[in-house]
Amino acid sequence: MRPVRGKRILAVLAAGGLALTAAACGDAPAETPSGSSTSAAAAYKACMVTDTGGIDDKSFNASAWAGLQAAKTQASNVDPKYVASTAEADYEPNLRGFVTQKCNFILSVGGLMGTATQKVSDAEKSSQFAIVDSGSTGSNVYPMQFATHQASFLAGYLAAGYSKSGKVATFGGMKIPPVTIFMDGFADGVAYYNKQKSKNVVVLGWDKTKQAGSFTDDFASAAKGKALASTFVSQGADVILPVAGGTGLGAAEVATASSGKVSIIWVDQDGCKSAAQYCSVFLTTVVKNIEDAVEKAVVAGATGTPLAATPGYLGTLENNGVELAPYNQFDSKVDAGLKTEVEKLKADIISGAVKVESANAPK
């Protein structure tokens, strides 16, 4: 394992980086006068393939799509579109479909799409690909990764300090690094709280040392999330971190029915914005700023800036690529002293005074 330190890494100019500008692959609008320059006005097709969670998962797919839409407000030639995958078998044909449509920027959302992205991008070297939550597999694949264990560490500390029962829980949609990195940070944050306060808050659902825990094997089943969350509540947990996309909404249902006894820490997008109907149970959110990363990458491509496959983008606490969302409706419920401790801890992680490590962190 190694620590991941914050260092702002944006879309950069780099030798060897592959950029497909609008002039290269975009189709000029029909109204462009003959003989005039078309590169500035050509449509830049920014195309996204979701994973099986779907476009409205209130989580990372929704964040990525928001990024494509935001890019259009910054570069008017951006033409965003998406196709939703209903099964993993859809990934490759969906990606190839966008190659056929001559998309200038083809985005894969989620680490589960890594293999399909590598296969298609290796065969289509003239196309520009990007992927969220996976490393680059070639010069034409721009990676966007996130040190979410840093923000989850803060969430674990917060959960331990807020819990009344002395038991908190977490579960994942699938046992893959982009999920377990959240769980690692959360467990370590609780452990750090216990060490600092001489407490013994228990984490249900994840053992970092053994890399073993609870998973629903689904990112789109609220019923599975509800069942697992109910089990944790019956075992005494009163703060739950679901890292499972739409499946986590089932945990929010359980919290809503608890009459204020159970709270949820959401992930990816601020839950009070993405799933506002459950805002009353969201203590906070471990935000992974996919929207901003995607927006910057698409705008760069649309304006002719090369996207370097190495190093790509790494979101950290230092560059606000990951963070804790506001406490929203819990603002008056969280002790002022605990808030101060969380802010101090954030500063200590950024400075390196507190080391946060995960075997699942981006390499």
Side-chain angles (χ1 to χ4, degrees):
M1 297 186 295
R2 66 177 181 85
V4 175
R5 294 285 303 277
K7 189 173 184 180
R8 187 165 188 83
I9 305 175
L10 297 173
V12 295
L13 289 168
L18 176 64
L20 297 184
T21 64
C25 290
D27 297 319
E31 66 270 17
T32 301
S34 177
S36 66
S37 173
T38 63
S39 61
Y44 185 83
K45 298 180 182 179
C47 307
M48 170 181 141
V49 178
T50 77
D51 84 339
T52 56
I55 196 68
D56 192 29
D57 61 351
K58 316 297 184 184
S59 190
F60 57 100
N61 286 297
S63 295
W65 179 237
L68 261 68
Q69 293 176 303
K72 185 173 179 60
T73 68
Q74 300 300 316
S76 62
N77 60 324
V78 172
D79 178 17
K81 62 179 65 178
Y82 76 87
V83 62
S85 303
T86 58
E88 291 184 30
D90 294 336
Y91 297 160
E92 186 178 331
N94 283 345
L95 290 168
R96 292 193 185 281
F98 278 146
V99 171
T100 300
Q101 292 179 43
K102 300 187 183 302
C103 290
N104 304 86
F105 180 95
I106 302 173
L107 176 64
S108 301
V109 184
L112 289 175
M113 295 190 66
T115 299
T117 302
Q118 180 173 6
K119 184 176 181 180
V120 178
S121 63
D122 282 350
E124 304 291 346
K125 288 296 186 182
S126 63
S127 295
Q128 174 69 67
F129 295 83
I131 188 166
V132 172
D133 281 340
S134 182
S136 178
T137 58
S139 61
N140 61 332
V141 182
Y142 179 74
M144 287 171 271
Q145 300 186 89
F146 301 85
T148 42
H149 57 314
Q150 295 181 348
S152 287
F153 191 98
L154 300 179
Y157 188 96
L158 170 67
Y162 187 79
S163 175
K164 305 299 187 297
S165 68
K167 289 184 179 180
V168 298
T170 183
F171 67 87
M174 190 170 290
K175 190 180 180 183
I176 53 176
V179 169
T180 53
I181 185 176
F182 280 93
M183 300 165 81
D184 281 347
F186 184 75
D188 280 348
V190 173
Y192 187 79
Y193 177 88
N194 286 340
K195 182 179 179 180
Q196 297 297 116
K197 304 291 187 179
S198 297
K199 300 292 186 179
N200 189 33
V201 178
V202 176
V203 178
L204 304 176
W206 186 241
D207 184 319
K208 183 189 176 186
T209 301
K210 296 180 179 178
Q211 289 289 291
S214 299
F215 299 90
T216 58
D217 294 323
D218 202 315
F219 287 101
S221 173
K224 291 180 180 178
K226 184 175 183 178
L228 190 48
S230 295
T231 297
F232 287 140
V233 171
S234 71
Q235 294 171 348
D238 61 356
V239 182
I240 302 174
L241 172 78
V243 191
T247 296
L249 294 174
E253 288 183 40
V254 172
T256 300
S258 74
S259 300
K261 296 178 181 178
V262 178
S263 57
I264 301 296
I265 296 179
W266 196 240
V267 298
D268 295 335
Q269 284 186 308
D270 184 342
C272 283
K273 296 178 179 178
S274 63
Q277 70 271 33
Y278 295 117
C279 186
S280 63
V281 300
F282 289 143
L283 173 57
T284 187
T285 299
V286 179
V287 175
K288 181 161 59 175
N289 204 344
I290 296 172
E291 178 178 345
D292 188 55
V294 169
E295 177 188 351
K296 284 182 168 63
V298 173
V299 170
T303 55
T305 302
L307 297 174
T310 302
Y313 174 85
L314 176 63
T316 66
L317 282 178
E318 185 175 17
N319 64 20
N320 295 318
V322 298
E323 61 185 340
L324 283 190
Y327 299 111
N328 295 308
Q329 294 184 26
F330 280 78
D331 191 60
S332 63
K333 302 176 185 179
V334 178
D335 180 77
L338 179 57
K339 290 179 183 177
T340 299
E341 290 170 15
V342 170
E343 285 302 310
K344 174 63 164 55
L345 185 55
K346 176 182 177 179
D348 285 346
I349 293 173
I350 291 173
S351 72
V354 173
K355 306 293 183 182
V356 181
E357 301 178 328
S358 170
N360 300 297
K363 303 298 190 288

